[in-house]
Amino acid sequence: MDHNNNIDFKDLWKKQTISQPNIEDLLARLKQFKKAGLRNLWITNILLFATCAFIVSVWFYYQPEFISTKIGIVLAILAMVIYLGFYNRLASTYKNIDATQTNQEYLQKLILIKRKQQFMQSTLLSLYFILLGVGICFYLYEYTLKMTILGAVFSYGATLLWMGFNWFYVRPKQIKKQQSKIDELIAKFEDVNNQLQS
């Protein structure tokens, strides 16, 4: 009977020494995930603000004559501003992840981030591409009128092809990559919570 108690104690001790590095590794992964998420937020903000500034400078420098061109510029900028507005809401969620939280709180934050990402990857990204696509098509109209028919078809074709490539190839790859990272973290935190509860 005493022998059984020693075995149980050793098993518990082994479980503790095995699970402790896993938690540290998990927290390190979470910290890396948070850092990468915030870095992506900053890069996206800088790139889209720079793009908006460039579009506005083109507007002022070239002084488009057609209202369609101006509508196109406004729609393109509106697409980027709406996207950034929602995307920047993720910043506070990332920043609220800190070292003092419990595993359950980490898990809740990750699930919240996943829900926000899913909304952005579906609804918001669709709206972004629609507004941007319509904006670019309106913008190009004034300039393609000055081209030959072949040049105009090529301009619209190349633009729409590039947008299609981004929509059908780049976007799904990015979504899959983001989802696999967060799903892996969520699964690991769920395992840790299950171990702690049992």
Side-chain angles (χ1 to χ4, degrees), residues 72-117:
I73 291 171
V74 169
L75 286 175
I77 292 173
L78 182 65
M80 292 178 220
V81 169
I82 290 172
Y83 185 80
L84 282 177
F86 281 94
Y87 194 49
N88 285 330
R89 290 183 183 178
L90 273 177
S92 62
T93 312
Y94 280 117
K95 288 177 183 173
N96 287 338
I97 298 174
D98 61 33
T100 62
Q101 294 175 326
T102 65
N103 288 335
Q104 188 62 33
E105 289 171 326
Y106 287 137
L107 186 59
Q108 294 306 315
K109 294 286 182 197
L110 289 171
I111 290 170
L112 181 63
I113 289 171
K114 181 177 178 169
R115 267 193 258 129
K116 287 184 176 184
Q117 280 182 347

Coordinates of all heavy atoms in Angstrom, one line a residue, residues 72-117:
G72 N -14.0 57.3 -57.8 CA -13.1 56.1 -57.6 C -12.0 56.3 -56.6 O -11.8 55.4 -55.8
I73 N -11.5 57.5 -56.5 CA -10.5 57.8 -55.5 C -11.1 57.7 -54.1 O -10.5 57.1 -53.2 CB -9.8 59.2 -55.7 CG1 -9.0 59.1 -57.0 CG2 -9.0 59.7 -54.5 CD1 -8.4 60.5 -57.5
V74 N -12.3 58.3 -53.9 CA -13.0 58.3 -52.6 C -13.3 56.9 -52.2 O -13.1 56.5 -51.1 CB -14.2 59.2 -52.7 CG1 -15.1 59.0 -51.5 CG2 -13.8 60.7 -52.9
L75 N -13.8 56.1 -53.2 CA -14.1 54.7 -52.8 C -12.9 53.9 -52.4 O -13.0 53.1 -51.4 CB -14.8 54.0 -54.0 CG -16.3 54.4 -54.3 CD1 -16.8 53.8 -55.5 CD2 -17.2 54.1 -53.1
A76 N -11.8 54.1 -53.1 CA -10.6 53.4 -52.8 C -10.1 53.8 -51.4 O -9.7 52.9 -50.5 CB -9.5 53.7 -53.8
I77 N -10.1 55.1 -51.1 CA -9.7 55.6 -49.8 C -10.7 55.1 -48.7 O -10.2 54.6 -47.6 CB -9.5 57.1 -49.8 CG1 -8.3 57.5 -50.6 CG2 -9.4 57.6 -48.3 CD1 -8.2 59.0 -50.8
L78 N -11.9 55.1 -49.0 CA -13.0 54.7 -48.0 C -12.8 53.2 -47.7 O -12.9 52.8 -46.5 CB -14.4 54.9 -48.6 CG -15.5 54.5 -47.7 CD1 -15.6 55.4 -46.5 CD2 -16.8 54.6 -48.5
A79 N -12.4 52.4 -48.7 CA -12.2 51.0 -48.5 C -11.1 50.8 -47.5 O -11.2 50.0 -46.5 CB -11.9 50.3 -49.8
M80 N -10.0 51.5 -47.7 CA -8.8 51.4 -46.8 C -9.1 51.9 -45.4 O -8.7 51.3 -44.4 CB -7.6 52.1 -47.4 CG -7.1 51.5 -48.6 SD -5.7 52.4 -49.4 CE -6.1 52.2 -51.1
V81 N -9.8 53.0 -45.3 CA -10.1 53.6 -43.9 C -11.1 52.7 -43.2 O -10.8 52.4 -42.0 CB -10.8 55.0 -44.1 CG1 -11.3 55.5 -42.8 CG2 -9.7 56.0 -44.6
I82 N -12.1 52.1 -43.8 CA -13.0 51.2 -43.1 C -12.2 49.9 -42.7 O -12.3 49.5 -41.5 CB -14.2 50.8 -44.1 CG1 -15.1 51.9 -44.3 CG2 -14.9 49.6 -43.5 CD1 -16.2 51.7 -45.3
Y83 N -11.4 49.4 -43.5 CA -10.6 48.2 -43.2 C -9.7 48.5 -42.0 O -9.6 47.7 -41.0 CB -9.8 47.8 -44.4 CG -9.0 46.5 -44.1 CD1 -9.7 45.3 -44.2 CD2 -7.7 46.5 -43.8 CE1 -9.0 44.1 -43.9 CE2 -7.0 45.3 -43.5 CZ -7.7 44.1 -43.6 OH -7.0 42.9 -43.3
L84 N -9.0 49.7 -42.0 CA -8.1 50.0 -40.9 C -8.9 50.2 -39.6 O -8.4 49.9 -38.6 CB -7.3 51.3 -41.3 CG -6.1 51.1 -42.2 CD1 -5.4 52.4 -42.5 CD2 -5.1 50.1 -41.6
G85 N -10.0 50.8 -39.7 CA -10.8 51.1 -38.6 C -11.2 49.8 -37.8 O -11.0 49.7 -36.6
F86 N -11.6 48.8 -38.5 CA -11.9 47.5 -37.9 C -10.6 46.8 -37.5 O -10.6 46.1 -36.5 CB -12.8 46.6 -38.8 CG -14.2 47.0 -38.8 CD1 -14.7 47.9 -39.8 CD2 -15.1 46.5 -37.9 CE1 -16.0 48.3 -39.8 CE2 -16.4 46.9 -37.8 CZ -16.9 47.8 -38.8
Y87 N -9.6 46.8 -38.4 CA -8.4 46.1 -38.1 C -7.7 46.6 -36.8 O -7.1 45.8 -36.1 CB -7.5 46.2 -39.3 CG -6.3 45.2 -39.3 CD1 -6.5 43.9 -39.1 CD2 -5.0 45.7 -39.6 CE1 -5.4 43.0 -39.1 CE2 -3.9 44.8 -39.6 CZ -4.2 43.4 -39.4 OH -3.1 42.6 -39.4
N88 N -7.8 47.9 -36.6 CA -7.1 48.5 -35.4 C -7.8 48.1 -34.1 O -7.2 48.3 -33.1 CB -7.0 50.0 -35.6 CG -5.9 50.4 -36.6 OD1 -4.9 49.7 -36.7 ND2 -6.1 51.5 -37.3
R89 N -9.0 47.7 -34.2 CA -9.7 47.2 -33.0 C -9.0 45.9 -32.4 O -9.1 45.6 -31.3 CB -11.2 46.9 -33.3 CG -12.0 48.1 -33.5 CD -13.4 47.7 -33.7 NE -14.2 48.9 -34.0 CZ -15.5 48.9 -34.3 NH1 -16.2 47.8 -34.3 NH2 -16.1 50.0 -34.6
L90 N -8.3 45.2 -33.3 CA -7.5 44.0 -32.8 C -6.4 44.5 -32.0 O -5.9 43.7 -31.1 CB -7.0 43.3 -34.0 CG -7.9 42.2 -34.7 CD1 -7.2 41.6 -35.9 CD2 -8.2 41.1 -33.7
A91 N -5.9 45.7 -32.1 CA -4.7 46.1 -31.4 C -5.0 46.1 -29.9 O -4.1 45.6 -29.1 CB -4.3 47.5 -31.8
S92 N -6.2 46.5 -29.4 CA -6.5 46.5 -28.0 C -6.6 45.1 -27.5 O -6.2 44.8 -26.4 CB -7.7 47.3 -27.7 OG -8.8 46.7 -28.4
T93 N -7.1 44.2 -28.3 CA -7.2 42.8 -27.9 C -5.8 42.2 -27.7 O -5.6 41.4 -26.8 CB -8.0 42.0 -28.9 OG1 -9.2 42.7 -29.2 CG2 -8.4 40.6 -28.4
Y94 N -4.9 42.4 -28.7 CA -3.6 41.9 -28.6 C -2.9 42.5 -27.3 O -2.2 41.8 -26.6 CB -2.7 42.3 -29.8 CG -3.0 41.4 -31.0 CD1 -3.5 41.8 -32.2 CD2 -2.6 40.0 -30.9 CE1 -3.7 41.0 -33.3 CE2 -2.8 39.2 -32.0 CZ -3.4 39.7 -33.2 OH -3.6 38.8 -34.2
K95 N -3.0 43.8 -27.1 CA -2.4 44.5 -26.0 C -2.9 44.0 -24.7 O -2.2 44.1 -23.7 CB -2.5 46.0 -26.1 CG -1.7 46.6 -27.2 CD -1.9 48.1 -27.4 CE -1.1 48.6 -28.6 NZ -1.5 50.0 -28.8
N96 N -4.1 43.6 -24.6 CA -4.7 43.1 -23.3 C -4.2 41.7 -22.9 O -4.5 41.2 -21.8 CB -6.2 43.0 -23.4 CG -6.8 44.4 -23.4 OD1 -6.2 45.4 -22.9 ND2 -8.0 44.6 -23.9
I97 N -3.4 41.1 -23.8 CA -2.8 39.8 -23.4 C -1.5 40.1 -22.6 O -0.6 40.7 -23.2 CB -2.5 38.9 -24.7 CG1 -3.7 38.6 -25.4 CG2 -1.7 37.7 -24.3 CD1 -3.5 37.9 -26.8
D98 N -1.5 39.7 -21.3 CA -0.3 39.9 -20.6 C 0.0 38.7 -19.7 O -0.7 37.8 -19.6 CB -0.4 41.2 -19.7 CG -1.5 41.2 -18.7 OD1 -1.8 40.1 -18.2 OD2 -2.1 42.2 -18.4
A99 N 1.2 38.8 -19.1 CA 1.7 37.6 -18.4 C 1.0 37.3 -17.1 O 1.2 36.3 -16.5 CB 3.2 37.9 -18.1
T100 N 0.1 38.2 -16.6 CA -0.5 38.0 -15.3 C -1.9 37.2 -15.4 O -2.5 37.0 -14.4 CB -0.8 39.4 -14.6 OG1 -1.7 40.1 -15.5 CG2 0.5 40.1 -14.4
Q101 N -2.3 36.9 -16.6 CA -3.6 36.3 -16.8 C -3.5 34.8 -16.6 O -2.5 34.1 -16.7 CB -4.1 36.6 -18.3 CG -4.4 38.0 -18.5 CD -4.7 38.3 -19.9 OE1 -4.2 37.7 -20.8 NE2 -5.6 39.3 -20.1
T102 N -4.7 34.2 -16.3 CA -4.8 32.8 -16.2 C -4.9 32.1 -17.6 O -5.1 32.8 -18.6 CB -6.1 32.4 -15.4 OG1 -7.2 32.8 -16.2 CG2 -6.1 33.1 -14.0
N103 N -4.8 30.8 -17.6 CA -4.9 30.1 -18.9 C -6.2 30.3 -19.5 O -6.4 30.4 -20.7 CB -4.6 28.6 -18.6 CG -3.2 28.3 -18.4 OD1 -2.3 29.0 -18.8 ND2 -2.9 27.2 -17.7
Q104 N -7.3 30.3 -18.6 CA -8.6 30.5 -19.1 C -8.8 31.9 -19.8 O -9.4 32.0 -20.8 CB -9.7 30.3 -18.0 CG -11.1 30.4 -18.4 CD -11.5 29.2 -19.4 OE1 -10.9 28.1 -19.3 NE2 -12.3 29.5 -20.3
E105 N -8.2 32.9 -19.2 CA -8.2 34.3 -19.8 C -7.5 34.3 -21.1 O -7.9 35.0 -22.0 CB -7.6 35.3 -18.8 CG -8.5 35.5 -17.6 CD -7.9 36.4 -16.5 OE1 -6.7 36.2 -16.3 OE2 -8.6 37.1 -15.8
Y106 N -6.3 33.6 -21.2 CA -5.6 33.6 -22.4 C -6.5 32.9 -23.5 O -6.5 33.4 -24.6 CB -4.3 32.7 -22.3 CG -3.2 33.3 -21.5 CD1 -2.5 32.6 -20.6 CD2 -2.8 34.7 -21.7 CE1 -1.4 33.2 -19.9 CE2 -1.7 35.2 -21.0 CZ -1.1 34.5 -20.1 OH 0.0 35.0 -19.4
L107 N -7.1 31.8 -23.1 CA -8.0 31.1 -24.1 C -9.1 32.0 -24.5 O -9.4 32.1 -25.7 CB -8.5 29.9 -23.4 CG -9.3 28.9 -24.3 CD1 -8.5 28.4 -25.4 CD2 -9.8 27.7 -23.4
Q108 N -9.7 32.8 -23.6 CA -10.8 33.7 -24.0 C -10.3 34.7 -25.0 O -11.0 35.1 -25.9 CB -11.5 34.3 -22.8 CG -12.2 33.3 -21.9 CD -13.2 32.5 -22.7 OE1 -14.0 33.0 -23.4 NE2 -13.2 31.2 -22.4
K109 N -9.1 35.3 -24.7 CA -8.6 36.3 -25.6 C -8.3 35.8 -27.0 O -8.6 36.4 -28.0 CB -7.3 36.9 -25.0 CG -7.5 37.7 -23.8 CD -8.1 39.0 -24.0 CE -8.2 39.8 -22.7 NZ -9.1 40.9 -22.8
L110 N -7.8 34.6 -27.0 CA -7.5 33.9 -28.3 C -8.8 33.7 -29.1 O -8.8 33.9 -30.3 CB -6.7 32.6 -28.1 CG -5.2 32.8 -27.7 CD1 -4.6 31.5 -27.3 CD2 -4.4 33.5 -28.8
I111 N -9.8 33.2 -28.4 CA -11.1 33.0 -29.1 C -11.7 34.3 -29.6 O -12.2 34.3 -30.7 CB -12.0 32.2 -28.1 CG1 -11.5 30.8 -27.9 CG2 -13.5 32.2 -28.7 CD1 -12.3 30.0 -26.8
L112 N -11.5 35.3 -28.8 CA -12.0 36.7 -29.3 C -11.2 37.1 -30.5 O -11.8 37.6 -31.5 CB -11.8 37.7 -28.1 CG -12.3 39.1 -28.4 CD1 -13.8 39.1 -28.7 CD2 -12.0 40.0 -27.2
I113 N -9.9 37.0 -30.5 CA -9.1 37.3 -31.6 C -9.5 36.5 -32.9 O -9.7 37.0 -34.0 CB -7.6 37.2 -31.4 CG1 -7.1 38.2 -30.4 CG2 -6.8 37.2 -32.6 CD1 -5.7 38.0 -29.8
K114 N -9.8 35.2 -32.7 CA -10.2 34.4 -33.8 C -11.5 34.8 -34.4 O -11.7 34.9 -35.6 CB -10.3 32.9 -33.3 CG -10.7 32.0 -34.4 CD -10.7 30.5 -34.0 CE -11.2 29.7 -35.2 NZ -11.0 28.3 -35.0
R115 N -12.5 35.2 -33.5 CA -13.8 35.7 -34.0 C -13.6 37.0 -34.8 O -14.2 37.1 -35.8 CB -14.7 35.9 -32.8 CG -15.6 34.7 -32.6 CD -16.7 35.0 -31.7 NE -16.4 34.4 -30.3 CZ -16.4 35.1 -29.2 NH1 -16.9 36.4 -29.2 NH2 -16.1 34.6 -28.1
K116 N -12.8 37.9 -34.3 CA -12.6 39.1 -35.0 C -11.9 38.9 -36.3 O -12.2 39.5 -37.3 CB -11.7 40.1 -34.1 CG -12.5 40.7 -33.0 CD -11.7 41.7 -32.2 CE -12.5 42.4 -31.1 NZ -11.8 43.4 -30.4
Q117 N -10.9 38.0 -36.3 CA -10.2 37.7 -37.6 C -11.2 37.1 -38.6 O -11.1 37.4 -39.8 CB -9.1 36.7 -37.3 CG -7.8 37.3 -36.8 CD -6.7 36.3 -36.6 OE1 -6.9 35.1 -36.6 NE2 -5.5 36.8 -36.4

